Amino acid sequence: MISSPDTRTMANAIRALAMDAVQKANSGHPGMPMGMAEIAVALWGKHLRHNPADPRWSDRDRFVVSNGHGSMLLYALLHLSGYDLSMDELKNFRQLHSKTPGHPEVDITPGVETTTGPLGQGIANAVGLALSEWLLASQFNKPGFDIVDHHTYVFLGDGCLMEGISHEVCSLAGTLGLSKLIVLYDDNGISIDGKVDGWFKDDTPRRFESYGWHVIPNVDGHDVAAVDAAIAAAKQAGKPTLVCCKTVIGKGAPTMQGTDKVHGAALGDTEIAATRAAIDWPHAPFEIPADVYAAWDAKARGAELQTAWDAKFAAYRAQFPAEAAEFERRMKGDLPAGFDQAVAAFVAACIEKKETIATRKASQNAIQALAPVLPEFLGGSADLTGSNLTNWKECVAVRSGQPGNHINYGVREFGMSAIMNGIALHGGFIPFGATFLTFSDYSRNALRMAALMKQRSLFVFTHDSIGLGEDGPTHQSVEHISSMRLIPNLDNWRPCDTIESAVAWGEAIKRRHGPSTLIFSRQNLPYVERDAAQVADIARGGYVLRDAANARALIIATGSEIELALKAADALAAEGIAIRVVSMPSTDVFDRQQAAYKAAVLPKGLPRVAVEAGVTDFWFKYVGLEGQVVGIDTFGESAPAGALFRHFGFTTEKVVAAVKSVLH
């Protein structure tokens, strides 16, 4: 609880730190921190349950600054309340290797829950955080032992609400009734281009009421008591709540407050001096009086809260030892004992069955096999469950008031992907969600954020090429796989049959510090025979699927084109031309292998041809300028899949000709 000095002084400490840090960096956004200072005092001083000494305490409240350009507000709060974020770090705002980057970054700054900046994705992550809290509570809480019981608070502004993703995720949050999600809206009417009423006239309160939210309108965002009362009411609402706070951007800056001039640029020495006088802040830059620090200090209260929770959890462990151990395992992100054995057993079963099926069906079989040993599995689809095949026999649909482990995200691809990132950030679940590969474009920035944040989000994309067939070029993926391979730290898997699909799922789940895409076919693909060593090498991302003595060239292929590569190799062998065939289900994983292994798979001097039903440019990194790529550099057509493959030259004859063209 905030004590003396008064709340006005506490808010002005935030204003001073924000304007001083932005001024020193000559870069940043002082307007939001200065305008939301009193809102921050109300939340952090009177409601937020957190412990600066342990930013990863599992039952802390989550706080998300969705309007992440106002990062100095968060950094000021973390510093003042006692986190390991020194004044020197605030002085180094936006500088190389500081803990105060331009936008908040998870795992860089202690106390930052998610990386925000691309507007709208912070609130989307927060929906995932709140969803995780509810689902975990339903699984682990016992009468008298609410070991999962925290809120998710969000700051956002007009920009987040203009982004379409905010509609996607807030609509779903209202439908699911996520009552511990509380959003504080910085309604200042200003964005970079000026007054938003020229391009944003939404009736935001009614919009959120239509979603099923509780809305508290017209709160004076500069009245700490009013914001405090609104938050208290929100906690009792039984619905997600939007608190609409009327504010003045850059509050305190005499000539700039209320204008776009204070949004995204330093105030300048003259305005800062005038602001200091206007808010009665006589202290030097980056100087905080001891009594202000004392008033903000949350360490003692945080230790008290966590100690009480620790005692509750100890009693829970005594009464429910198995559940306690399972909760701790899942929050650490450890996989259950026996997971590797489960994957191995499933791979063995696939070898025994030798099924020719679509890899989307092979994916569903993998989910069905692994879900029983992975209670943290939380699946879903963006309105395409029957096509993506991400459900399994025992899954339970999540509905309002009905927790489960499979989410119908609706037609919300971007929202789904960003919510998944929030679920991964919260801990306790491994989220996966699906759509058609062509709609990965809708999800793309969330994929990038998952990779940037190193989160274990699993993105399932089916209907992976022109093999989609009659739906035509709007739905036929051409450039998508190659474009996703360009995202750093994103592993992309495109398996060719049941075995590679099983291994891809296992490797994606085991990968703790990064997301993966799993890309599957609509059409049936034949089972491919392998020996044990080849099966083991699938996990390396690329391996020799078929070798030949004195090979004169090699063909690299993925997914549905493996069948074509093998047929071409057979045809060439009949002509006395020996060919090596390399399957490369994940170029990203292959690229991380040791140089000796890569050289063994792709020997220097051996002419190369790559075959993939997508754009060709990417593959020249493997075949060289002297190599050939059989691909497609136009959009598709509407026709049955077989006709399309023939029309676009995915034939044995075309691959044979390509190989012959590179022979020395």
Side-chain angles (χ1 to χ4, degrees):
M1 297 290 289
I2 292 294
S3 57
S4 181
D6 62 28
T7 55
R8 178 177 177 273
T9 303
M10 308 313 297
N12 287 338
I14 293 172
R15 291 189 171 94
L17 287 173
M19 67 182 183
D20 289 342
V22 172
Q23 182 69 18
K24 186 173 187 299
N26 195 29
S27 175
H29 299 75
M32 183 279 254
M34 297 174 73
M36 295 194 79
E38 282 84 8
I39 303 172
V41 171
L43 175 61
W44 279 62
K46 299 177 180 294
H47 295 277
L48 195 72
R49 298 174 68 255
H50 64 117
N51 182 8
D54 186 2
R56 308 309 300 171
W57 170 35
S58 64
D59 203 39
R60 68 193 181 278
D61 287 340
R62 270 59 169 184
F63 174 64
V64 174
V65 180
S66 190
N67 43 355
H69 55 273
S71 56
M72 264 311 303
L73 173 66
L74 179 53
Y75 300 150
L77 289 166
L78 294 170
H79 170 76
L80 290 167
S81 62
Y83 284 79
D84 183 18
L85 191 67
S86 69
M87 185 64 83
D88 284 341
E89 294 291 354
L90 270 59
K91 292 177 181 178
N92 285 327
F93 178 55
R94 291 189 163 220
Q95 304 308 301
L96 186 64
H97 303 315
S98 75
K99 292 183 180 180
T100 50
H103 292 79
E105 294 186 42
V106 69
D107 294 330
I108 298 295
T109 314
V112 171
E113 298 288 356
T114 181
T115 300
T116 56
L119 292 176
Q121 288 196 67
I123 176 60
N125 296 162
V127 171
L129 293 168
L131 179 58
S132 297
E133 190 276 341
W134 170 48
L135 296 178
L136 269 182
S138 72
Q139 293 179 17
F140 287 99
N141 286 356
K142 304 290 183 182
F145 294 100
D146 291 337
I147 62 166
V148 182
D149 185 15
H150 52 266
H151 287 81
T152 298
Y153 296 99
V154 184
F155 282 4
L156 58 68
D158 292 308
C160 290
L161 295 178
M162 283 186 256
E163 291 286 0
I165 190 175
S166 69
H167 165 73
E168 295 182 30
V169 302
C170 293
S171 170
L172 184 60
T175 299
L176 295 179
L178 301 180
S179 61
K180 290 187 177 177
L181 176 62
I182 299 174
V183 177
L184 295 119
Y185 166 32
D186 180 27
D187 184 8
N188 61 39
I190 296 292
S191 67
I192 292 174
D193 281 355
K195 294 182 178 179
V196 301
D197 60 7
W199 48 87
F200 184 58
K201 284 187 174 293
D202 295 19
D203 188 334
T204 298
R206 292 182 67 186
R207 169 186 164 187
F208 275 77
E209 286 172 353
S210 76
Y211 296 152
W213 286 52
H214 177 60
V215 177
I216 304 176
N218 299 315
V219 175
D220 182 351
H222 301 300
D223 183 337
V224 172
V227 178
D228 172 26
I231 296 171
K235 290 180 177 179
Q236 305 302 317
K239 300 178 178 181
T241 297
L242 179 72
V243 181
C244 300
C245 301
K246 292 289 185 179
T247 62
V248 176
I249 191 171
K251 175 74 171 175
T255 69
M256 292 185 178
Q257 66 178 14
T259 73
D260 59 281
K261 293 180 181 179
V262 77
H263 182 282
L267 300 184
D269 291 334
T270 300
E271 187 74 4
I272 286 179
T275 303
R276 277 185 153 75
I279 66 175
D280 192 22
W281 188 263
H283 314 290
F286 300 104
E287 180 182 312
I288 302 294
D291 61 340
V292 176
Y293 272 127
W296 268 113
D297 193 344
K299 294 192 293 292
R301 175 61 175 158
E304 177 184 325
L305 290 168
Q306 188 167 351
T307 297
W309 184 88
D310 288 343
K312 180 190 295 185
F313 190 75
Y316 178 87
R317 186 198 308 278
Q319 193 164 341
F320 307 102
E323 290 87 345
E326 177 71 359
F327 177 78
E328 291 182 314
R329 176 191 72 78
R330 286 173 55 174
M331 292 306 293
K332 289 177 183 176
D334 294 340
L335 293 176
F339 176 77
D340 287 340
Q341 292 87 334
V343 174
F346 177 62
V347 169
C350 292
I351 293 172
E352 183 177 352
K353 290 181 179 179
K354 305 182 188 306
E355 291 181 296
T356 291
I357 56 177
T359 52
R360 61 173 173 157
K361 180 59 179 176
S363 167
Q364 186 179 44
N365 292 345
I367 294 168
Q368 182 65 58
L370 299 178
V373 298
L374 279 176
E376 58 265 53
F377 238 14
L378 183 57
S381 176
D383 203 49
L384 291 168
T385 303
S387 295
N388 300 147
L389 304 182
T390 51
N391 55 341
W392 62 102
K393 291 178 182 178
E394 302 83 8
C395 71
V396 176
V398 175
R399 296 288 186 268
S400 179
Q402 175 188 297
N405 53 8
H406 189 274
I407 302 168
N408 297 102
Y409 284 100
V411 187
R412 300 180 177 103
E413 297 90 354
F414 190 10
M416 172 185 71
S417 302
I419 287 171
M420 286 166 52
N421 290 342
I423 293 168
L425 285 158
H426 184 280
F429 293 102
I430 297 175
F432 65 93
T435 186
F436 289 171
L437 178 58
T438 192
F439 302 135
S440 64
D441 284 340
Y442 286 143
S443 300
R444 186 175 179 86
N445 202 259
L447 268 65
R448 183 178 187 272
M449 295 304 293
L452 178 61
M453 294 189 288
K454 302 180 176 65
Q455 293 303 303
R456 184 160 50 186
S457 298
L458 310 183
F459 302 97
V460 177
F461 297 120
T462 67
H463 298 62
D464 68 346
S465 70
I466 58 171
L468 175 60
E470 293 87 344
D471 276 350
T474 59
H475 284 54
Q476 291 165 6
S477 308
V478 175
E479 76 278 20
H480 300 76
I481 300 174
S482 287
S483 71
M484 290 191 303
R485 288 172 178 145
L486 298 177
I487 299 176
N489 198 42
L490 178 65
D491 281 0
N492 300 276
W493 291 88
R494 188 180 185 232
C496 74
D497 68 354
T498 58
I499 303 300
E500 287 190 357
S501 298
V503 173
W505 263 108
E507 292 303 303
I509 291 166
K510 286 189 284 187
R511 188 177 189 229
R512 295 186 63 145
H513 301 297
S516 301
T517 72
L518 296 148
I519 301 165
F520 300 114
S521 72
R522 178 196 187 193
Q523 71 274 27
N524 288 347
L525 303 183
Y527 174 83
V528 181
E529 292 285 354
R530 300 170 184 81
D531 61 29
Q534 289 173 313
V535 172
D537 282 343
I538 295 171
R540 295 177 181 241
Y543 63 103
V544 178
L545 179 59
R546 181 186 294 177
D547 212 354
N550 302 312
R552 294 180 58 193
L554 65 81
I555 304 172
I556 309 168
T558 76
S560 52
E561 287 67 69
I562 285 292
E563 178 185 13
L564 184 56
L566 292 171
K567 287 181 177 179
D570 288 340
L572 288 161
E575 298 184 37
I577 302 173
I579 298 296
R580 169 180 286 193
V581 176
V582 172
S583 177
M584 199 174 289
S586 178
T587 61
D588 311 279
V589 175
F590 180 76
D591 287 349
R592 292 199 297 270
Q593 302 305 306
Q594 292 182 346
Y597 177 78
K598 290 188 286 187
V601 174
L602 304 176
K604 289 183 178 180
L606 195 62
R608 304 171 185 179
V609 171
V611 187
E612 187 173 64
V615 293
T616 60
D617 280 2
F618 171 84
W619 286 101
F620 286 100
K621 68 180 282 190
Y622 296 105
V623 303
L625 294 179
E626 70 283 1
Q628 289 288 324
V629 181
V630 178
I632 174 172
D633 289 315
T634 66
F635 296 108
E637 296 281 353
S638 296
L644 288 173
F645 279 115
R646 290 190 297 272
H647 173 74
F648 287 109
F650 290 95
T651 64
T652 301
E653 295 75 18
K654 178 73 175 290
V655 178
V656 166
V659 172
K660 288 181 177 180
S661 75
V662 301
L663 292 177
H664 301 308

